[in-house]
Each structure stands twice: as C-alpha cells, then as structure tokens.
C-alpha cells in the first residue's frame, strides 16, 4: 500500500517521528513525501536536508506542475496523508488530488479549546498580520473568484469529541487520540517517583520565532515578562519548598538569553516526564496542559498585563481558563504570594477536558501511528476508495 504525505512545510527528523513517517515505513508501507514550502511560503525558503531512510520517493516541489506529476504517478492502492490547510494554494493541491481521484486523510487533533471570534475580531487578526501574500489569498477567497473543486477528506483522524464538533456531524472520523497521548503512555509504562518540583510550561513568549515569520503578536517584552514570572516562581518556592523547573518550548534558544529565569534549571524536550513527576504545573495556555490533565496535577494558570492586552492568542487562553473553571494569577495585579488562591486541582473538568480534546473512551491504548497503521489496512472506507480508483 502506498502512502503519499503532503507537507506544505519543511520536515525534520522530529516531524517524521511525530507524523508517523518512520512508523509507516517500519510497518512496510511504501511512503512517498511531497514537500512544498516554496509554494506556500517563499521561493527563497531552503528545502530541508533531512530525508527519512526507506522512503519510496521524495519530491521537493518547485511548481504546481511538480505537484501534479507526483500525484499523477500514484498507483491505485494509494491514499494521501494531508497536512494542508484552507488557503487558495492548499485548495489547488487538493484540486489536483480530486482530478487524479487520490483519496486523502487529514488530522483533526485540536489540542486546546478554540474560542469563537466575531467578524470584527477575525478582520482585526487578519489586518495585524497582513502581508501582500495574505492580501492576495483574501481576494482569492471572495465568492466571485474561481476555485478548484475539492473532495472532502476520506477520513479525519480524531482525538476527542471536539473533533466532531469542529468538522460537523457528517464528517467521517476515525477516533484515535491526541499525539501527546503517546508520551503519556510511555510515562505510564515506566513510572518514575514524584519529585519536589513545580514545572513551568514555557511558551518562549518574548522571543518566539513566529513573531518574526508569521507576524504573530507574542504580547510580552523581556524586560517586563521575565521579572514578573520570577516573582511568581519565587513565591511558589518560598511557600511550598518546591523547586521550579522550566520545561522549555521546543523552539526556544535560552542559550542566547542566559539568566532570564534566574538560576533555575531549563530542560527542553521532556515536558511529559517532568509533569508526570512534579507536584504543581505552572502555565499560560501551552498545549502541554494536556499532560497536566492526564496526570491529574494541580495547575496554576498565569498571565500578565502585557499578555492580556497584546497577545494574539489571549482569547484561546481565556477559553482554556473557562474550560477548567480557573482564574489566572497576574503578577501585575495580584500579589504572587496569593498564588494558592488560583490553583485548580483535579476534578470532573479534568476528565471532561481529556474526553473532549485528548481521547474518547474505548479507543486503543497504543501509540498513535501504530493505531493508524492498523486502520489503514482494515478501515472499510479506505478499501472502498481504493476499489473505486
């Protein structure tokens, strides 16, 4: 069976692990990679140097003609694994899939609650990050602009029940679980003793690269943000005896910013285990909140005045607070010593969060891509789609 991955971005070794490329190759599938950042971002984008060993073919597309030739060559027993979105460029690629009758699977793995935006808020979000390319895409979305016909996904790989809410009642969803659940399973398989620590789920707010590459507003300056967070950490450590450890954002580069968290330990790439062993989780709206819910840890949500008035994702944060029935400690408003008043402890809302966004009851207790590999050869919708080709 042939699997065609559609990546609008460059891929790394971590991406190939996270998106199942390595696992599907290991399971004997013929895996083909279509890598298209030059079509989606800029022709000056350097293509990735990483190529997974064992891939059947790789296309680093320069033009839509490259995309068309790659898809046209797909054998009858093929299905695409799409990481495309909803821009006009995405629709062009999906239109080519329809032309060559190549069915595709996509993922609907929403990790945190998604708020509702008014039309005005949507317009303001677009204007704040407007570029010439985004302006052209907005024009191409207008009703009078011709658009290629596309098919609906053959299957949507779902996590929690919110997948159905987001995609609608007619969506064909194969429930598995959120990708982070794999790390939870690994920790459960090799449990470690609890430590006297509190873990801060860093989001690299003042320096996040998306502020440069996508025009996203992080809403924090280093001169204000880090001292405010250190005051909270100091209060937690002094009153509880716990040691605050920083679970660094995967894209952080704190070697360029020494001392911003004081002399506290900064660890990257190990959030699940750190949370599994800690006694308190401190966070804003990191997607790693899922580990706090899964491991049933007390959580302390925090914010700042700068984030409240300048962070592009503040509505997501407020939605997350409402989901857990929490209030956020703001060191610009509240005394950090009052942090205990803001801690939420495991309750029914934790279970509801897990069921809505991470995993529905009864789905396999196995790694995500193992479950997908099993499904690819057995799901009736996939068999029927291949028969039609």
């Amino acid at each position: 069976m042939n699997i065609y991955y559609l990546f609008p971005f460059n891929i790394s070794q971590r991406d190939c692990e996270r998106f199942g490329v390595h696992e599907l190759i290991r399971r004997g599938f013929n895996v083909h990679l279509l890598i298209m950042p030059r079509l989606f971002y800029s022709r000056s984008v350097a293509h990735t140097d990483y190529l997974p060993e064992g891939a059947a073919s790789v296309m680093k597309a320069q033009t839509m003609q490259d995309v068309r030739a790659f898809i046209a060559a797909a054998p009858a027993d093929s299905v695409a694994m799409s990481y495309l979105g909803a821009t006009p460029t995405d629709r062009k690629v999906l239109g080519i899939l329809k032309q060559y009758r190549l069915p595709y699977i996509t993922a609907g793995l929403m990790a945190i609650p998604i708020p509702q935006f008014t039309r005005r808020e949507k317009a303001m979000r677009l204007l704040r990050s407007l570029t010439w390319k985004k302006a052209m895409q907005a024009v191409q979305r207008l009703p009078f602009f011709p658009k290629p016909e596309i098919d609906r996904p053959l299957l949507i790989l779902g996590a929690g029940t919110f997948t159905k809410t987001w995609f609608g009642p007619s969506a064909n969803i194969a429930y598995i679980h959120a990708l982070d659940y794999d790390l939870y399973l690994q920790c459960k398989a090799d449990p470690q003793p609890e430590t006297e620590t509190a873990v801060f789920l860093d989001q690299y707010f003042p320096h996040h690269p998306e502020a440069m590459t996508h025009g996203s507003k992080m809403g924090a300056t280093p001169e204000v943000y880090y001292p405010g967070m250190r005051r909270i950490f100091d209060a937690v450590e002094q009153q509880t005896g716990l040691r605050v450890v920083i679970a660094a954002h995967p894209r952080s580069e704190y070697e360029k910013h020494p001392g911003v968290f004081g002399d506290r330990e900064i660890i990257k790439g190990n959030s699940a285990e750190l949370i599994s062993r800690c006694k308190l989780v401190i966070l804003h709206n990191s997607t790693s909140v899922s580990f706090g819910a899964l491991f049933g840890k007390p959580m302390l949500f925090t914010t700042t005045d700068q984030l409240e008035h300048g962070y592009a994702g503040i509505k997501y944060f407020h939605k997350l607070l409402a989901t857990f029935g929490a209030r956020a400690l703001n060191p610009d408003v509240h005394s950090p010593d009052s942090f205990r008043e803001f801690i939420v402890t495991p309750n029914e809302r934790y279970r509801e969060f897990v069921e809505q966004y991470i995993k529905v009851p009864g789905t396999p207790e196995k790694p995500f891509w193992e479950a997908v590999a099993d499904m690819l050869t057995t799901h009736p919708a996939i068999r029927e789609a291949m028969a039609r080709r």
Side-chain angles (χ1 to χ4, degrees), residues 245-259:
V245 175
I246 312 302
H249 188 276
R251 299 178 70 181
S252 64
E253 297 179 301
Y254 280 113
E255 63 276 8
K256 296 180 180 179
H257 313 286

Side-chain angles (χ1 to χ4, degrees), residues 225 227-229 231-232 302-305 329-336:
Y225 175 77
M229 296 310 299
R231 291 199 302 274
I232 294 175
T302 62
T303 187
T304 70
D305 278 353
L329 173 63
N330 182 342
D332 300 319
V333 176
H334 312 113
S335 167

Side-chain angles (χ1 to χ4, degrees), residues 16-245:
C16 287
E17 293 167 356
R18 190 166 177 79
F19 299 138
V21 174
H22 292 158
E23 176 63 20
L24 295 189
I25 291 173
R26 189 187 69 80
R27 292 285 292 266
F29 292 91
N30 298 317
V31 173
H32 308 260
L33 306 179
L34 179 58
I35 305 169
M36 303 172 281
R38 291 191 177 177
L39 302 182
F40 285 83
Y41 299 106
S42 168
R43 293 194 62 80
S44 63
V45 172
H47 274 302
T48 180
D49 290 329
Y50 179 76
L51 297 176
E53 184 177 350
S57 65
V58 177
M59 167 65 78
K60 298 178 180 180
Q62 307 287 335
T63 65
M64 278 294 170
Q65 286 72 25
D66 291 339
V67 173
R68 182 179 300 277
F70 194 70
I71 292 173
D77 64 338
S78 299
V79 64
M81 195 72 69
S82 171
Y83 288 90
L84 300 172
T87 72
T89 306
D90 293 296
R91 289 187 66 94
K92 288 179 182 178
V93 177
L94 292 174
I96 295 172
L97 293 188
K98 179 178 178 63
Q99 181 180 351
Y100 290 98
R101 302 175 67 182
L102 180 60
Y104 69 98
I105 297 169
T106 191
L109 307 175
M110 289 71 175
I112 58 175
I114 298 177
Q116 295 290 324
F117 291 96
T118 65
R119 289 184 179 179
R120 182 178 182 279
E121 287 172 332
K122 290 177 181 178
M124 292 303 297
R125 282 165 61 88
L126 175 63
L127 287 173
R128 290 191 190 105
S129 61
L130 191 63
T131 62
W132 175 251
K133 188 166 187 176
K134 288 184 178 180
M136 291 300 297
Q137 290 176 347
V139 170
Q140 292 174 32
R141 288 192 182 99
L142 294 174
F144 60 80
F145 202 93
K147 301 174 182 63
E149 291 187 14
I150 63 174
D151 288 326
R152 292 172 63 90
L154 178 67
L155 285 175
I156 298 169
L157 305 179
T161 57
F162 184 73
T163 312
K164 179 71 77 173
T165 303
W166 182 255
F167 286 97
S170 63
N172 192 5
I173 297 172
Y175 287 105
I176 301 175
H177 53 67
L179 291 172
D180 281 344
Y181 196 77
D182 286 2
L183 299 175
Y184 171 71
L185 290 175
Q186 291 175 21
C187 292
K188 278 184 62 179
D190 184 25
Q192 300 295 314
E194 198 170 55
T195 58
E196 296 297 311
T197 57
V199 173
F200 172 59
L201 302 181
D202 168 57
Q203 289 179 247
Y204 204 39
F205 268 129
H207 306 291
H208 198 290
E210 282 191 6
M212 297 297 293
T213 58
H214 298 300
S216 299
K217 290 182 66 178
M218 294 297 112
T221 59
E223 299 77 17
V224 175
Y225 175 77
Y226 288 115
M229 296 310 299
R230 289 198 300 268
R231 291 199 302 274
I232 294 175
F233 301 159
D234 288 343
V236 169
E237 289 177 335
Q238 291 166 9
Q239 292 190 37
T240 67
L242 300 177
R243 176 173 59 90
V244 174
V245 175

